[in-house]
Structures are given as C-alpha cells and as structure tokens.
Amino acid sequence: MSRAPRSIPGILTAIVISFVVVTYALSFALAALAIITTQLGPNLLRLNGVLPVYLFALISLRIIPANGLILVIVLMAIFSACFWAAAIDRGGFIASLKALTRKSKPTSTPDWLVVMPLLSSSLLIVTVLLSILLNSSGVSVGSLPATTPEELFASVAYAPVAEEVGFRITPIGLLIVIRTLLPLHRGRGLTRAGPITVAGRIALAFFSPDRAKEDAGLPSIGTKGWHGIHWSEWILLGATSILFGLAHSLSGAGWGPGKALTAGLSGFVLGVVYLWYGSYANILLHWSFNVYVFVILGSLAGGLYSDALASLSFFATIFLSIAGLVYGIRWLKPVKTPIMQTATPLAPPPQF
C-alpha cells in the first residue's frame, strides 16, 4: 500500500510545531529556574490570599485560602497532567505530526499538541490585531494593572484553571451531562444502568464532551463535524463567551471595554476546543496565552539565551499563525462526495 506523498510546507510546519512544543517544556524548566534562583520563589512563599472560585459562568466565591508558592506548584502539576493527556490522545503526537507532513487531508482528528501551536498562534495574532484596531478607534482594551511579579505570575497561572472551570467546564459540561443522560431516561434505563455507569457518564461529560456524546449515541464533532454541535450548545457557547468578555472588562483589573470583545472571541474558541477535545485542551490553550507568554515571550528567566528564545518563539508564532489559517481552512472544508456515474449498459449485438 503506497503512502501519500510528502508536502514541503507540511514538513516545515511540523518542524516549527516541534520547536514550539519543545519551548512548552522549556517554559516549565525556566519557571522552575526563576522560582529557585531569583526572588520570585521567596516572594511567592510570602504571598498568601483567598482564591476566587468560578462556577457556571455566574457564580464567584472566595472560599479557598492559598499560599502563592504551593498554588503555583499545584498548578504546574495540573498543567503537566494536561500535557500528558494531550500527548497520548487522538493517536498520539508523533503520529499526528507525521500525518501533517503528507499532502492528503487527515482522516481523523489530529492530536491536540499538533493543533494547539497552530490555533494559539492564529488566535494570538488575531486578538493582538483586534486590540490595535479597537485602541486606534478609541475603544480602550486596557491592560493588566501594575503589580508585583509574584502576584502577576500567580494570577496568570491560576486563571487557566479557574476561568476554564467557571466559564466552560461547569456550564457547558452540565449541558452535556443533561443531554447524555436523557437517552437513558427516555429509554427507562437510568435506574437499571446503576450508579457507577451514571457517574462514569457524568464524569466523561465534564472531561470529554465529544466522547460522552458518542457514547450516548448522539451526534458529535468527531462523527458529524460542525453538525455534531447541538443548537443548545451553540447558544450556551455564545452566552458563556459574552459573560467571559464582560467579566474581564468589568473586573476593575485594568481592562477597558474593548477587552469584552477580545476576551469574548477567545472564550468562544476555548469553548469550541472544550467541546471537541475536552477539558485538558481548553486549559492548555488558556495556559499558552497566560503562562507560556509570560515565561517565554516575557523572558521570565532573563539573560541572553532567554531573550534569544523569546525572539525565536515570536517568529515561530508569526509563521504558525499563517499556517494555522491555511490548515484550518483545509481541515474544516467539507469533503465533497464524488457522484458515482452509472454505467450505461451496452446494447446487445444484432441478431441475424
């Protein structure tokens, strides 16, 4: 069986994606280095406060006391677990990277570690350009307020988990729970299924909505593409995205009214990613905008090598933002089913 021919742009894109994934790992090492060798660590140790907890896009509670250093260590463990899940899901990172180098369109959903550098780069460039446009039009996007490095680092590390739980995982996940349990209820099999089966379906709905829908026999993105997103899910995606944008612009944390649009756009993309890949993916995408940008592009560790890495990562982001648009159009473009031509039967030979 012959393999599909290789694509030079695909090979180049795979190389840049591999570099970016390596910088993901380096960001953990650089963050640890900064904590150990600079005042960031001692300052985080002295930082104490109460964490906000967001639920169902509408509820905000301050109930969890936390130490800054312990919080960062726990969050890094969560991010590491998400990266492990991303690396082994959907056939694995290496297999999806090889598929990217071929000219043929992938026949299955690519691994998230292949998609994330493309999507995050494209979304970052779009939001930056949109912010410039809004600011030049007199609609201020604003910026984070001046604060200490340890407070900023702790807050940007906590946001991907707290905000994704509050604005994607709990509200959208609850809708998926209801939708996936309804078939059992209508078939009168909810009580016969047993508590373990029901609990497993609920957990799967929160962690991997698309797989939960497939297990329940519902249309999913993996099987039906965009038609696998139910109209109720589209409505909730829009509502949570609007609330996500408003929560930023009205937070009083230095953001202006324009932030509602840029954050709302990001929130919508994060919601689609959650529905498609699951909770680990939207948390990692949010991580790339917060922690990764802060550590790598912000040259957290400082020094010549850190600055060089920031420059290389910036150029990789520009390249992948263009590649992301190209591959996004290619992957999401519906495949036209060829129309089979019915062969016209030959007339019988004349009889003599």
Side-chain angles (χ1 to χ4, degrees):
M1 182 177 179
S2 60
R3 293 183 178 180
R6 301 288 178 178
S7 164
I8 293 178
I11 293 173
L12 183 59
T13 302
I15 292 172
V16 179
I17 287 175
S18 300
F19 166 76
V20 171
V21 171
V22 169
T23 65
Y24 290 163
L26 285 175
S27 70
F28 282 83
L30 291 174
L33 183 65
I35 291 172
I36 295 171
T37 62
T38 70
Q39 279 299 114
L40 181 61
N43 290 342
L44 281 171
L45 186 60
R46 288 191 291 268
L47 181 64
N48 294 284
V50 180
L51 298 176
V53 176
Y54 308 111
L55 298 170
F56 306 106
L58 295 171
I59 301 172
S60 177
L61 305 171
R62 289 186 174 270
I63 55 176
I64 304 178
N67 172 264
L69 183 59
I70 295 176
L71 173 66
V72 168
I73 292 173
V74 170
L75 290 171
M76 290 303 175
I78 293 174
F79 298 142
S80 298
C82 290
F83 270 107
W84 175 79
I88 64 174
D89 197 18
R90 316 280 174 166
F93 172 68
I94 300 299
S96 292
L97 200 64
K98 289 180 179 179
L100 185 69
T101 65
R102 301 188 182 102
K103 290 184 178 180
S104 58
K105 182 178 178 179
T107 56
S108 59
T109 302
D111 181 85
W112 176 241
L113 283 187
V114 172
V115 176
M116 186 171 83
L118 295 167
L119 181 58
S120 62
S121 298
S122 299
L123 185 57
L124 179 61
I125 296 301
V126 168
T127 53
V128 168
L129 293 177
L130 183 58
S131 298
I132 294 173
L133 178 62
L134 289 170
N135 286 325
S136 62
S137 302
V139 182
S140 174
V141 175
S143 61
L144 287 171
T147 184
T148 62
E150 62 272 14
E151 290 178 340
L152 181 59
F153 185 57
S155 64
V156 299
Y158 181 60
V161 174
E163 293 179 0
E164 291 313 304
V165 169
F167 289 90
R168 255 71 62 180
I169 296 174
T170 52
I172 299 175
L174 179 61
L175 174 62
I176 303 302
V177 167
I178 295 172
R179 293 198 64 232
T180 54
L181 288 183
L182 276 178
L184 281 177
H185 173 69
R186 288 169 178 167
R188 304 300 182 186
L190 189 60
T191 54
R192 292 196 301 270
I196 296 178
T197 300
V198 173
R201 181 164 290 190
I202 292 173
L204 186 62
F206 280 113
F207 285 105
S208 185
D210 213 47
R211 284 200 174 100
K213 290 195 291 185
E214 290 180 9
D215 285 357
L218 300 174
S220 67
I221 301 175
T223 57
K224 297 292 184 180
W226 296 120
H227 296 290
I229 301 180
H230 192 258
W231 61 265
S232 60
E233 295 164 14
W234 283 118
I235 292 175
L236 194 56
L237 273 174
T240 54
S241 301
I242 292 172
L243 291 172
F244 186 64
L246 291 175
H248 279 76
S249 62
L250 301 177
S251 64
W255 299 117
K259 186 64 176 178
L261 183 58
T262 58
L265 173 63
S266 299
F268 186 83
V269 175
L270 287 162
V272 172
V273 167
Y274 169 61
L275 278 174
W276 195 344
Y277 280 89
S279 56
Y280 72 83
N282 59 305
I283 288 175
L284 287 182
L285 182 58
H286 203 144
W287 168 92
S288 70
F289 283 105
N290 284 34
V291 181
Y292 179 72
V293 169
F294 185 80
V295 174
I296 298 295
L297 297 182
S299 300
L300 175 65
L304 179 62
Y305 293 110
S306 183
D307 293 339
L309 182 61
S311 299
L312 289 174
S313 300
F314 172 77
F315 288 116
T317 299
I318 297 297
F319 174 85
L320 290 179
S321 67
I322 300 172
L325 294 175
V326 173
Y327 279 100
I329 294 172
R330 178 189 173 195
W331 288 344
L332 298 176
K333 183 180 179 181
V335 178
K336 293 183 179 179
T337 305
I339 300 175
M340 301 297 294
Q341 298 291 337
T342 305
T344 304
L346 297 175
Q351 301 292 327
F352 296 100

